[in-house]
Amino acid sequence: MDIIKINDLVKRFPVGKGHFTALNKINLSFGKGEFAGFVGPSGSGKTTLLNIIGSLDTPSEGSTIVMDKSISDLSHKQAARLRNMYIGFIFQTYNLLPVYTVFENVEFSLLLQNMSGSKRKKAVMDALEWVGLTDKIKSKPNMLSGGESQRVAIARSMVKKPEIVLADEPTANLDSKNSHHILQTMKKLNEEFNVTFIFATHDEKVMKYLNRIVTLEDGKVVSDKENKS
Amino acid sequence: MIAIKLAFKNLLGAGLRTWLNVSVLSFAFVLIIFYNGMIEGWNRQGRNDTQDWETGQGQFWHPEYDRYDPYTIRDAHAQLSGEIAIQIKEDKLTPVLITQATAYPQGRMQGIALKGIDPQQKILKLPTSDLDNVQDEYSAIIGKRMAETTKLGVGDRVLVRWRDKNGTFDAREIKIASIFKCDVPSVDNGQMYISLNVLQKMMNLENEATLLVAGENYSGGEIKNWEFKDLQFLLADFDRLIQAKKAGGMIMEGFMLIIALLAIFDTQVLSIFRRQKEIGTYIALGLTRSQVVGLFTVEGGAHSILAALLGAAYGIPLFMYLDSIGITFGAPDMGITIAETIYPYYSLGLIITTLILVVLSATIVSYFPARKISKMNPTDALRGKLQ
């Protein structure tokens, strides 16, 4: 069953008096548990597509249905709830909240879900165990290495057991060893919890791990194939 | 609840910048309370002193009497009835007879108000019993200010000229029995107090008075042919002075508060541009834009809570110390009722009002920059692209 359905999606951005078409007639769908990625050169529309799936942006035309909800029709509040309950984000620059500890960063999404303290603590500790960071719970983000920071970001995205994790260039700031480490972690979580992972990347290392590669160029899907490497 | 928790966490995490803002705001907070406490302390002391020395608990005036019009004094006197005599005997009222006179201290000439008052009275703090302590029938007590302007000392004699009820001039040397010190200039400046009986005799106004001062024991009720003036009326000038001082103080407090609030406003504006990625992350994690606006508003407003706590930490010991020693201004003679040492008065109402004012204004100035977040595109915020 598809949890993401994209039909004739067009996204335009105003530029001066005209506009720039970032995505042009995109038709895609993703099922539960996929480990897929958008690849392509800079400006091909990978991040824009990821943002629309994550309800951070809306389509100009066409429809994007995520978890049976049309992104175009969601209010700010409904979109926020969708993100909080079902979607995890991983960013290139980690985007950890600087004044919070590792534990508090991971705990943040659960606070918004009004989960009880004891349940929250268990969930956070579990998530940190998945990424191997239980010894860093009291550290602040500025005390972590790049690899550790990205593992905290993975734990933060996974702690609420989302349906979808959207990772935008998650390895761009990491060395080869750390890149493989976090990709293995994500792959393991994908298999263990059957969570759908969708990447936006142009990193060859990431592509090797993907089960499906959607190639974008100038806002259009130029290929969509299974990856058997 | 989450917003408050997060706001305080962010605020404390911001470190020195937060404490600089909080320090400035706490200084404004303490200064506002201090200034208002001083004014209130002055107000209370001034009112008490005026009641103790001049007005008592109210006064009955002869209908012709107007304290601002010296021309009314001549005809403003009436007989003291039996009913009044009983109240005087019971120390509920004390009569005062007033006439205009001219003193000639050391050959100079000065217009004065000559006031006759019962030496045995216990209602006013005036040391009238000193009038009985001298042998000379024509003795007077005067205040320190009057003594200084006339250069008179205890035991000195001064020629005083007055007109009796028929308009006939008379004059006599009066001996200064004592000099009193009083914070109420209207009791002192240009005033000379002699025995009531003596003045009645001098004026040929046996058993007459211009006004009756009511004491604490006075049971109330009207007295025929006399007009009661309550404290609100009698202290109206002083109240106006205090109101003017408060209004002046508000301008100073306003400036102080604006400086502190500008610092918060500036921090908020900077925060919103500097923390774009953080704002984008909050939204990505599931906060609505209005929740993020709320978070930043609470964060700005929380400066005021920290300022109140910091202010309390150094303000309470400071205020307690000042309350115990008072604040001495030397011996100011500004023509207004003011004690040499003022003991500030800090009421709970004053503290709560100031707290509300500071919290509310800090929250308002935090809200305006935070409103901009509601117009932010989260994808631009995540990339830190906004200008």
Side-chain angles (χ1 to χ4, degrees):
Chain A
M1 197 188 116
D2 293 335
I3 57 171
I4 300 166
K5 283 179 272 186
I6 301 167
N7 293 314
D8 294 330
L9 169 64
V10 176
K11 179 66 185 179
R12 293 188 201 94
F13 292 107
V15 178
K17 286 180 181 172
H19 60 261
F20 164 72
T21 306
L23 296 170
N24 198 357
K25 297 280 179 189
I26 304 285
N27 288 286
L28 287 168
S29 59
F30 295 90
K32 192 162 168 59
E34 283 203 46
F35 203 75
F38 302 129
V39 300
S42 293
S44 58
K46 306 182 296 286
T47 301
T48 305
L49 189 49
L50 219 57
N51 285 338
I52 291 172
I53 295 170
S55 73
L56 290 172
D57 210 343
T58 50
S60 306
E61 280 176 29
S63 72
T64 304
I65 314 289
V66 178
M67 303 298 298
D68 294 326
K69 289 181 171 67
S70 169
I71 297 298
S72 313
D73 300 336
L74 295 178
S75 65
H76 285 308
K77 207 172 171 181
Q78 289 166 329
R81 184 169 161 73
L82 178 75
R83 288 191 295 271
N84 182 235
M85 299 301 290
Y86 303 111
I87 303 173
F89 288 89
I90 298 169
F91 303 101
Q92 178 182 339
T93 49
Y94 328 126
N95 289 31
L96 299 180
L97 301 168
V99 298
Y100 299 159
T101 61
V102 165
F103 184 94
E104 289 163 341
N105 264 285
V106 178
E107 185 190 27
F108 191 92
S109 309
L110 304 181
L111 281 172
L112 302 178
Q113 292 179 4
N114 292 323
M115 191 183 277
S116 72
S118 56
K119 277 188 184 170
R120 226 163 47 220
K121 192 176 176 187
K122 187 179 179 316
V124 173
M125 291 311 289
D126 285 348
L128 288 170
E129 204 174 315
W130 300 332
V131 297
L133 279 175
T134 47
D135 57 332
K136 299 275 186 186
I137 55 169
K138 288 184 179 163
S139 303
K140 292 270 179 78
N142 61 4
M143 298 155 75
L144 303 174
S145 68
E148 286 171 333
S149 296
Q150 199 58 297
R151 278 149 67 197
V152 175
I154 294 169
R156 183 176 64 183
S157 71
M158 284 299 296
V159 70
K160 58 194 176 189
K161 305 236 177 84
E163 295 292 333
I164 304 160
V165 172
L166 302 172
D168 189 5
E169 304 281 8
T171 56
N173 285 359
L174 301 178
D175 59 24
S176 181
K177 193 180 158 195
N178 273 310
S179 296
H180 283 296
H181 188 191
I182 70 135
L183 285 163
Q184 281 159 8
T185 306
M186 287 194 272
K187 187 76 180 163
K188 193 181 82 181
L189 292 168
N190 163 251
E191 286 164 4
E192 197 172 329
F193 297 106
N194 200 29
V195 178
T196 305
F197 273 77
I198 301 177
F199 293 78
T201 185
H202 53 250
D203 186 344
E204 297 284 341
K205 294 188 291 295
V206 178
M207 290 181 215
K208 282 182 190 164
Y209 284 85
L210 299 176
N211 296 336
R212 178 182 169 193
I213 296 176
V214 178
T215 307
L216 296 172
E217 264 183 39
D218 297 329
K220 290 180 181 168
V221 176
V222 292
S223 78
D224 180 359
K225 53 190 176 189
E226 277 190 36
N227 182 24
K228 289 171 184 163
S229 62
Chain B
M1 225 21 226
I2 291 176
I4 293 170
K5 193 179 165 188
L6 297 179
F8 274 100
K9 208 157 192 52
N10 287 340
L11 214 51
L12 296 173
L16 189 63
R17 198 178 55 247
T18 296
W19 291 111
L20 277 173
N21 287 338
V22 166
S23 301
V24 176
L25 195 58
S26 81
F27 184 62
F29 185 66
V30 168
L31 199 73
I32 291 170
I33 293 178
F34 170 74
Y35 184 82
N36 281 300
M38 284 292 292
I39 295 284
E40 190 53 31
W42 174 16
N43 181 25
R44 283 173 175 252
Q45 279 175 262
R47 289 181 80 89
N48 287 342
D49 286 346
T50 308
Q51 284 178 51
D52 289 347
W53 286 86
E54 188 178 26
T55 64
Q57 299 306 308
Q59 292 181 348
F60 288 93
W61 285 7
H62 183 275
E64 294 288 317
Y65 180 58
D66 178 351
R67 61 180 165 177
Y68 299 120
D69 183 1
Y71 295 107
T72 63
I73 294 175
R74 187 175 160 72
D75 298 321
H77 49 81
Q79 281 282 328
L80 302 173
S81 64
E83 177 200 357
I84 294 171
I86 293 167
Q87 307 247 40
I88 293 170
K89 214 173 176 183
E90 291 172 351
D91 288 329
K92 290 178 179 171
L93 293 172
T94 191
V96 177
L97 179 64
I98 306 172
T99 187
Q100 283 185 288
T102 309
Y104 296 89
Q106 297 166 0
R108 290 179 294 116
M109 187 173 79
Q110 185 178 344
I112 60 167
L114 197 56
K115 292 184 172 176
I117 187 165
D118 181 3
Q120 305 300 319
Q121 65 83 26
K122 294 185 181 69
I123 290 172
L124 297 177
K125 258 190 179 175
L126 285 165
T128 47
S129 59
D130 290 350
L131 295 169
D132 280 347
N133 293 342
V134 284
Q135 297 290 320
D136 206 317
E137 186 188 11
Y138 293 94
S139 61
I141 56 170
I142 56 173
K144 202 172 161 222
R145 292 177 187 82
M146 174 75 169
E148 277 167 9
T149 53
T150 54
K151 295 191 169 48
L152 289 170
V154 175
D156 287 351
R157 289 174 183 278
V158 60
L159 182 68
V160 174
R161 189 182 70 152
W162 71 94
R163 294 169 85 167
D164 68 13
K165 71 170 183 185
N166 301 316
T168 310
F169 279 108
D170 202 350
R172 183 172 288 277
E173 273 196 337
I174 293 180
K175 186 181 178 183
I176 305 301
S178 71
I179 295 168
F180 60 84
K181 194 164 163 289
C182 169
D183 296 329
V184 188
S186 55
V187 171
D188 182 341
N189 277 334
Q191 317 280 311
M192 186 176 275
Y193 298 86
I194 63 173
S195 169
L196 177 66
N197 290 336
V198 173
L199 186 60
Q200 285 170 341
K201 215 185 294 173
M202 286 158 63
M203 297 284 297
N204 284 328
L205 291 170
E206 294 296 324
N207 198 34
E208 291 200 29
T210 307
L211 57 91
L212 308 164
V213 181
E216 281 178 5
N217 300 332
Y218 183 70
S219 48
E222 292 188 354
I223 300 175
K224 202 179 166 190
N225 299 329
W226 295 82
E227 283 177 5
F228 184 68
K229 304 292 180 188
D230 62 11
L231 288 175
Q232 196 184 347
F233 174 85
L234 296 169
L235 294 168
D237 288 347
F238 184 70
D239 287 343
R240 270 195 289 274
L241 173 73
I242 291 294
Q243 286 309 319
K245 288 286 166 197
K246 278 185 178 170
M250 276 168 72
I251 294 169
M252 184 196 72
E253 290 161 13
F255 277 122
M256 194 65 220
L257 200 59
I258 285 168
I259 291 168
L261 294 176
L262 264 177
I264 294 175
F265 184 82
D266 187 44
T267 304
Q268 286 290 101
V269 172
L270 273 176
S271 278
I272 284 151
F273 286 98
R274 210 171 41 81
R275 293 164 64 189
Q276 283 177 45
K277 274 195 176 184
E278 190 183 327
I279 291 166
T281 307
Y282 284 131
I283 294 171
L285 291 174
L287 253 68
T288 60
R289 287 181 215 192
S290 54
Q291 279 177 311
V292 183
V293 171
L295 173 66
F296 274 72
T297 304
V298 172
E299 204 175 301
H303 279 99
S304 57
I305 306 291
L306 292 179
L309 293 174
L310 181 68
Y314 66 82
I316 290 173
L318 179 71
F319 290 159
M320 282 170 76
Y321 174 70
L322 291 177
D323 195 39
S324 65
I325 62 161
I327 294 168
T328 305
F329 293 96
D333 189 9
M334 300 181 282
I336 52 176
T337 305
I338 184 165
E340 268 182 49
T341 301
I342 290 182
Y343 293 89
Y345 180 82
Y346 310 108
S347 67
L348 190 65
L350 167 65
I351 293 166
I352 290 172
T353 311
T354 312
L355 186 67
I356 292 170
L357 172 76
V358 173
V359 171
L360 212 63
S361 43
T363 308
I364 290 168
V365 297
S366 302
Y367 171 70
F368 285 106
R371 252 186 347 169
K372 203 167 177 63
I373 294 169
S374 63
K375 290 173 189 143
M376 263 187 194
N377 182 341
T379 58
D380 289 341
L382 276 167
R383 279 179 282 177
K385 263 182 70 179
L386 298 169
Q387 296 299 311

